[in-house]
Amino acid sequence: MVSFSSTTYSKRLLHLVSWSHWFTFFNIIAAILLSSFYLFSETSPETLLGKVYLITTWISHMGFLTFIGFVLLIFPLTIIYPKTRFIRGSASIIFTIGLLLLLLDAFIYTRLGYHLNASSSEQIIALIQTQIDQNSRFFWFVSVILFISILVFQLVVSNYAWKHLRQLQKTIFARFVVIGLVSAFFFSHLLHIWADANLEYDILRQDTVLPLSYPSTAKTLLTKYGLFNKQDYIARRTSPLSFTDVVPQYPEFTQQCISDNKIARSTILVLTSKLLEKYQIEKFSQRSSSSKLILSNHIDNALPKNAWFNLLYSLPSIYKRGITAQNNTPVLFSVLNSNNLESRLTFIGQNNKENKSSPSLFGFEKLFKDVDQLEDISTLVLNQRLSKLANGLHVFYFTSADHYQYEIFIDALLLSQKNKSEKDIIWISSVGNENKETSLTIKPALFILPNVLDNNVNYLTSHMDIQPTLMKHWLACNMPASDYSAGKDMVELKKDRVIANTMENGMMVFNKDKSVFIDQNGNFQSYSRELESPIMISADFPLMIDGVHFIKKFAQQHKIGE
């Protein structure tokens, strides 16, 4: 015999379960409508099949995620504690938070290209903090309005479904909606299986549009962001992909710098083809009487022919072919020329004597007004030439493995600075890698910059940061660095960032903890920057996308490739 109390409990439970189904149904509709922001941030599919897939996967995926939220959170609460007010209030708060997270995720996706995730928490927090700093009142006003609006919607729907439950149970329109969602769910999954087997790019590129959707491949993502050739992906499908050649027009100097023909100091770059050790940089730092920046996390991942492009043009290697074909000089050299300042390149190395041809920087030596070739440093250090350098840019490049001469030269250079009233800017580092294996290592560097406080820069820096720093702190230029460079002023670095560069066989992305290499076949490998060895972790696609944004920043600044 069933007791009265148990009968009442069963009826209340069934009533709550039935109500929660309808309450979830209305939230499914709301989630589908709000998630349309994801679609607006993407370009429309080119094929009819791609458009059909977009619609079916959109409505079915969002419906599925909302229903899973009900199954995992609300339904267990209903079984455990079937109190009407508690369940209705809890469900309203849960779905309010869920829809707010959906809107936040959509905002993150439109700005950063990936969804909420733990590995990119710093970039996500930095983006939100930037919005608050720009207009805190507007940010908090919009946040409060959205919270109140969604909460009111939840309460209204909750109350409506509770009071009209019997009428809703008699309706038949919901059946067709549910059947449509279930049909769309299975159809979109079957269509994706077919697209995956046939490498249909128009469908596969949608894998990362919606939150918690299919995991994409590196090849698909890089093709989507324009770093791999889309036509090769579609036409050949199984062959290695090549980088695109489309690059923007490199800017010409337009008198945005303060013209000053009486610049009292020079900039001296002392570079070597061999990797420098940390102890060498520390020794040079101790011998300098000027203020300096010790760069303990400096990156130079390119082979020599691309490393010089990174250094002189401050752009990733992917732009090299297109930019050099334009025959425009780097902005820094344009400023030097317009102010009649020296630009001299000096090769130093005994191995040059054995070569019949003149030493070369893969064609970039043509940027300099004067080019010298020396077997050793004797003529520089014995007659005090280092104290009499004409104002301008002087690059000394040591091409031999003789670290002894390199260190003696730097000692002489630093000694010559002590008697100068206007001390020169000096950059000490290696340039380029002998092979691809050393591209993963950190390259410590020293930037001696008068009138700047001593600092050990632990943030990531690269050769692409040198030109923007010199433009501002040497030549007093007001031209925004983003107009001509992917780098930043090293003096003003305030936070961690992601730095990326392309290589002949893929792309390398660095953050403060690790690096990611993606080859031309889309294979993904992570490396520990501390251990300098491969590490076995899940593919970090958000980090890869951050790297893509870094590489494409110059192109996007000039409206190319969008």
Side-chain angles (χ1 to χ4, degrees), residues 1 4 51 56 78 132 151 190 241 248 283 299 334 374 392 416 444 480:
M1 182 176 180
F4 177 77
K51 294 176 181 178
T56 55
T78 306
I132 296 175
L151 181 59
L190 292 173
L241 303 176
K283 182 171 62 176
I299 294 170
S334 296
L374 302 174
S416 70

Side-chain angles (χ1 to χ4, degrees), residues 138 208 483:
F138 179 76
T208 59
D483 286 354

Side-chain angles (χ1 to χ4, degrees), residues 288-473:
S288 172
S289 58
S290 299
S291 54
K292 59 259 181 191
L293 301 177
I294 301 176
L295 310 177
S296 56
N297 285 287
H298 191 69
I299 294 170
D300 173 22
N301 77 302
L303 297 179
K305 62 181 179 180
N306 290 328
W308 282 102
F309 175 78
N310 301 152
L311 172 66
L312 299 175
Y313 280 89
S314 301
L315 290 171
S317 303
I318 196 172
Y319 296 100
K320 178 186 170 186
R321 180 183 299 177
I323 293 295
T324 53
Q326 297 170 12
N327 293 320
N328 287 335
T329 60
V331 171
L332 176 66
F333 284 81
S334 296
V335 177
L336 294 176
N337 295 334
S338 65
N339 286 276
N340 296 317
L341 293 171
E342 180 72 15
S343 60
R344 179 180 291 272
L345 169 65
T346 303
F347 290 93
I348 303 174
Q350 293 180 353
N351 60 336
N352 291 331
K353 185 177 181 180
E354 301 172 359
N355 299 330
K356 296 181 180 180
S357 59
S358 300
S360 172
L361 297 184
F362 308 97
F364 295 116
E365 68 277 1
K366 298 177 182 178
L367 297 173
F368 296 85
K369 293 180 180 178
D370 299 294
V371 179
D372 294 334
Q373 179 182 351
L374 302 174
E375 292 184 17
D376 53 48
I377 62 173
S378 58
T379 57
L380 294 172
V381 300
L382 294 180
N383 57 9
Q384 298 183 338
R385 278 180 59 184
L386 295 178
S387 301
K388 304 173 184 178
L389 296 176
N391 290 340
L393 175 67
H394 298 269
V395 178
F396 296 93
Y397 179 44
F398 287 73
T399 60
S400 69
D402 187 357
H403 272 310
Y404 180 73
Q405 279 210 75
Y406 182 79
E407 294 185 13
I408 292 295
F409 175 83
I410 293 178
D411 287 341
L413 176 62
L414 297 178
L415 183 63
S416 70
Q417 296 293 308
K418 292 186 176 180
N419 297 325
K420 279 195 165 188
S421 57
E422 289 289 342
K423 301 185 185 303
D424 296 324
I425 298 172
I426 301 175
W427 170 266
I428 301 172
S429 76
S430 61
V431 58
N433 295 272
E434 294 181 350
N435 50 59
K436 297 173 183 176
E437 286 70 27
T438 60
S439 65
L440 303 175
T441 61
I442 295 300
K443 318 297 191 305
L446 180 64
F447 201 2
I448 299 174
L449 194 61
N451 304 322
V452 174
L453 294 177
D454 285 355
N455 190 12
N456 190 349
V457 181
N458 293 316
Y459 303 120
L460 291 183
T461 56
S462 77
H463 283 354
M464 290 178 273
D465 298 323
I466 297 175
Q467 184 176 201
T469 307
L470 293 178
M471 289 283 284
K472 181 173 182 179
H473 296 278

Side-chain angles (χ1 to χ4, degrees), residues 138-155:
F138 179 76
F139 176 85
W140 292 115
F141 174 77
V142 171
S143 299
V144 171
I145 291 299
L146 286 175
F147 175 77
I148 293 176
S149 300
I150 295 176
L151 181 59
V152 168
F153 167 78
Q154 299 295 340
L155 295 176

